[in-house]
C-alpha cells in the first residue's frame, strides 16, 4: 500500500481531521479518568513509581500516534479503530477505497 | 570535611538508620498525598504530562538522596534537615562533632 500517493479531497480532509480529533478526545479523556482513579488508590511509593512508568509509556504512545500526517493516516485510523477510539462510522464520507483499506488493516 | 574518615559507632549507626528511615517515611508519605491530591485536580492532558514531569523529577531526587552511605551521611542529614524531613532532635545521640557539622551545613 503506497500511502504517499493517496489523495485526500478537501471534504475528506475535514472528515479526517474531525475523526482524528474525536479519537484524541476520547483517548485522552479516558487517560485522565484513569490517572485520577489510579491515583486515589496509591498507598505506597512503589505505586507512585508504577504510575510514573505508566505515564512514561502512555506519553510515548500518544505523542507517537497523534502525529497528523496524511501519508500515515490510513494506518493511524486503522490502529485507532482497533483500539476502540474510533469507529468506522466516524470515517463515513471518505472514499470507498480508503475505507476498505482501513477496514482491512483493522482485521490484521 | 573528610567524610570518608568519620567513624560511626554501632549506637550511632542505629540512630542514623532510624533517622534516615524516618525522613524517608515523611518525605514519601508527603509525596503520596501530594500525588493523590494533584491527580484529583487533573482536567486536561497538559496537567497529566505536568504530573509526569513532576514524578520524573521527584523520582530522580529521591533515588539520589536516599542512598545510605556512611561517607555521605553528614551531607544527606544536613540536606534532609534543611528540607524539613528531619529535625536535629531526630539525630540526638550522635556525637557532638557530627551534630555540629550537620548543624553548620544546614546554615549554608
Amino acid at each position: 500500500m503506497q500511502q504517499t500517493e493517496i489523495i485526500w479531497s478537501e471534504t475528506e480532509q475535514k472528515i479526517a481531521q474531525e475523526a482524528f480529533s474525536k479519537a484524541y478526545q476520547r483517548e485522552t479523556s479516558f487517560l485522565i479518568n484513569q490517572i485520577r482513579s489510579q491515583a486515589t488508590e496509591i498507598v505506597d511509593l512503589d505505586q507512585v513509581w508504577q504510575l510514573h512508568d505508566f505515564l512514561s509509556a502512555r506519553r510515548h504512545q500518544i505523542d507517537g500516534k497523534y502525529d497528523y500526517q496524511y501519508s500515515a493516516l490510513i494506518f493511524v485510523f486503522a490502529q485507532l479503530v482497533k483500539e476502540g477510539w474510533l469507529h468506522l462510522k466516524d470515517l463515513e464520507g471518505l472514499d470507498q477505497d480508503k475505507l476498505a483499506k482501513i477496514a482491512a488493516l483493522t482485521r490484521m
Side-chain angles (χ1 to χ4, degrees), chain A:
Chain A
M1 197 182 300
Q2 293 173 300
Q3 289 304 310
T4 49
E5 291 178 8
I6 292 180
I7 305 297
W8 296 74
S9 70
E10 274 191 31
T11 307
E12 286 184 311
Q13 288 185 20
K14 198 174 166 202
I15 292 164
Q17 283 158 7
E18 279 174 13
F20 193 83
S21 171
K22 204 177 279 182
Y24 181 79
Q25 285 302 323
R26 285 175 186 147
E27 183 163 6
T28 57
S29 294
F30 184 86
L31 176 63
I32 289 165
N33 288 333
Q34 202 174 13
I35 298 304
R36 291 169 61 116
S37 163
Q38 275 190 25
T40 61
E41 290 169 16
I42 289 175
V43 292
D44 63 37
L45 197 65
D46 280 347
Q47 289 170 301
V48 175
W49 301 154
Q50 279 164 20
L51 176 65
H52 178 244
D53 290 338
F54 175 75
L55 285 172
S56 299
R58 298 299 286 119
R59 192 172 197 170
H60 181 74
Q61 289 160 351
I62 286 176
D63 283 353
K65 190 162 58 178
Y66 289 98
D67 178 21
Y68 193 85
Q69 304 281 347
Y70 285 109
S71 59
L73 216 44
I74 296 283
F75 293 100
V76 172
F77 281 155
Q79 186 182 353
L80 291 170
V81 170
K82 278 173 93 166
E83 292 174 353
W85 305 117
L86 207 59
H87 313 291
L88 288 173
K89 67 178 172 52
D90 295 319
L91 298 167
E92 276 172 15
L94 299 185
D95 78 23
Q96 288 306 312
D97 185 50
K98 290 187 185 68
L99 288 173
K101 283 175 180 167
I102 293 167
L105 284 166
T106 63
R107 290 189 295 270
M108 284 182 186

